[in-house]
Amino acid sequence: MAFYFRLCALVFAVLLSAASPLYLVQANACDFSLGNWVLDDSHYPLYDASRDCPFIGRGFNCLRNGRPDQDYLKYRWKPSGCDLPRFDGVNFLERYKGKKIMFVGDSISNNMWQSLTCLLHNAVPESSYALSTPTKYLSVFTIPEFDVSIIWLKNGFLVDVVHDKEKGRIVKLDSIKSGYMWKGDVLIFNTYHWWTHLNESVTVQFQVGNETIKNMDPMEAYKIGLTTWSKWIDANIDPSMTKVLFQGIAASHFEGEGCLKETEPEEGAQPPYPGVEIVKNVLSSMSYPVYLLDITFLTQLRIDGHPSIYTGKGTSYVDCSHWCLAGAPDAWNEILYAVLLGL
């Protein structure tokens, strides 16, 4: 198995040396984005959310919030062409000793960040940790023994947003002024969730230059905003110093009856998901080697993995966007771990 992963790393090195801008290829010889969920109650869940992860967010701890079924905790993602290496938190911490890993994105990014903090804390339960929120947009988890920081910076659009008393929220599609905050040895970006919720609660307008555009197609705006981000990365990040990944689009399940009472993953082919081609096209046009953590298909299958009515907010609130922990986001971090082994 060790030889296999060394070989995989060599394959990626060859790809890297070819200077291809299309880093949608996997960091090793396996496409982690395709596969199926396998019930594996001998190894999963990877942690007990209530016992092993006392700092987990209320809305993600579905068991604590009364969810009666538990099979959703026990599914392992099995890529079609290989097996994911088992997540080794100690190895992860040793590899990134003295380093910072920053997630930049929305609440789905928070979901993945919380999963990773739980996995790492569970790997070294006797080691002290610190969890701080220096600002309402910044959360920092550290394990001093390894001098490792796992950071989440809340930023739903990645491009600039201003609030106007008369016009409401204005998303400036061609402007990024917060990029100075994006600092880490590994940067994992995510944006999508907020672009699909633009008409639900507040007035939102898009702006390019000095022109305000009303009634713009959110996916067209998403494409422009993501392109602005990609150009910022190309111009400002040194690939010899910083690894950059893009956390792909996680599927939500609001169609029909939504995710309510769902207890098993779906199987088989899934329809194209909005926004995915935009992400792939933008990343493929970049000169910086950005790796796509393509989690769309595997989340399309996990209609059972959402909090549903088990968010702690009462049964009238149904959440089919975010994810229970332990659960599907742990697989995202297993893929992240496999990718970082090869980068």
Side-chain angles (χ1 to χ4, degrees):
M1 183 63 73
F3 171 76
Y4 172 78
F5 284 108
R6 285 196 297 270
L7 178 61
C8 291
L10 178 61
V11 170
F12 182 76
V14 171
L15 290 169
L16 189 63
S17 67
S20 169
L22 184 58
Y23 286 89
L24 308 182
V25 294
Q26 302 297 325
N28 54 39
C30 180
D31 183 352
F32 299 129
S33 68
L34 299 176
N36 62 290
W37 291 95
V38 178
L39 194 64
D40 183 357
D41 56 7
S42 62
H43 297 101
Y44 291 77
L46 296 177
Y47 55 87
D48 182 303
S50 297
R51 183 192 65 217
D52 302 328
C53 195
F55 44 81
I56 193 171
R58 178 187 180 191
F60 301 152
N61 194 340
C62 300
L63 278 183
R64 183 182 294 171
N65 294 328
R67 181 165 177 170
D69 62 299
Q70 295 190 21
D71 278 354
Y72 74 93
L73 297 164
K74 304 171 185 177
Y75 283 97
R76 169 174 57 87
W77 179 244
K78 172 66 174 69
S80 298
C82 64
D83 285 313
L84 281 169
R86 186 162 176 81
F87 187 91
D88 185 337
V90 174
N91 182 44
F92 189 106
L93 290 167
E94 289 175 343
R95 281 173 171 265
Y96 286 91
K97 191 170 186 177
K99 298 186 182 299
K100 293 181 173 63
I101 297 173
M102 174 178 277
F103 292 84
V104 183
D106 56 30
S107 53
I108 308 300
S109 183
N110 181 27
N111 234 164
M112 187 173 179
W113 172 76
Q114 287 207 18
S115 163
L116 184 57
T117 61
C118 290
L119 288 166
L120 295 177
H121 174 59
N122 186 53
V124 287
E126 302 303 317
S127 297
S128 62
Y129 69 87
L131 181 61
S132 62
T133 52
T135 74
K136 65 179 181 179
Y137 299 109
L138 186 66
S139 300
V140 181
F141 176 85
T142 58
I143 299 181
E145 179 182 346
F146 295 88
D147 191 24
V148 171
S149 297
I150 313 296
I151 304 163
W152 172 51
L153 178 63
K154 183 178 181 180
N155 188 328
F157 292 100
L158 298 183
V159 294
D160 293 337
V161 178
V162 297
H163 297 272
D164 186 278
K165 290 183 178 180
E166 296 182 358
K167 297 181 180 180
R169 180 186 293 174
I170 300 174
V171 181
K172 306 180 75 171
L173 298 176
D174 59 348
S175 176
I176 293 178
K177 294 181 179 178
S178 61
Y180 71 93
M181 302 175 67
W182 302 347
K183 295 179 179 179
D185 299 281
V186 179
L187 298 174
I188 305 165
F189 291 92
N190 164 255
T191 183
Y192 180 76
H193 187 61
W194 286 14
W195 300 86
T196 64
H197 293 74
L198 291 174
N199 299 319
E200 294 185 0
S201 58
V202 296
T203 301
V204 175
Q205 298 185 40
F206 298 110
Q207 182 174 308
V208 177
N210 294 320
E211 180 184 0
T212 300
I213 306 171
K214 297 181 179 180
N215 302 317
M216 189 177 192
D217 178 4
M219 286 297 96
E220 179 61 25
Y222 180 59
K223 179 181 178 181
I224 297 172
L226 197 61
T227 300
T228 298
W229 166 83
S230 72
K231 291 179 178 178
W232 191 98
I233 294 295
D234 278 340
N236 292 279
I237 300 295
D238 182 351
S240 68
M241 300 294 293
T242 306
K243 298 180 178 70
V244 176
L245 301 93
F246 191 87
Q247 179 186 338
I249 295 171
S252 59
H253 294 90
F254 286 105
E255 299 80 7
E257 296 184 2
C259 61
L260 189 64
K261 298 181 181 179
E262 296 287 349
T263 59
E264 296 179 348
E266 295 182 343
E267 297 180 354
Q270 298 293 312
Y273 201 83
V276 170
E277 286 306 309
I278 292 174
V279 171
K280 291 183 177 180
N281 288 337
V282 169
L283 295 189
S284 68
S285 70
M286 297 177 66
S287 58
Y288 189 101
V290 173
Y291 182 91
L292 174 62
L293 285 168
D294 190 350
I295 60 173
T296 303
F297 176 69
L298 65 92
T299 54
Q300 283 182 287
L301 298 178
R302 287 306 303 271
I303 192 170
D304 63 312
H306 300 290
S308 183
I309 59 174
Y310 304 104
T311 64
K313 297 181 180 180
T315 57
S316 62
Y317 179 77
V318 182
D319 184 352
C320 297
S321 293
H322 300 96
W323 302 88
C324 295
L325 294 178
D330 301 324
W332 312 350
N333 281 308
E334 287 181 296
I335 295 172
L336 173 66
Y337 176 66
V339 169
L340 291 179
L341 285 178
L343 284 178

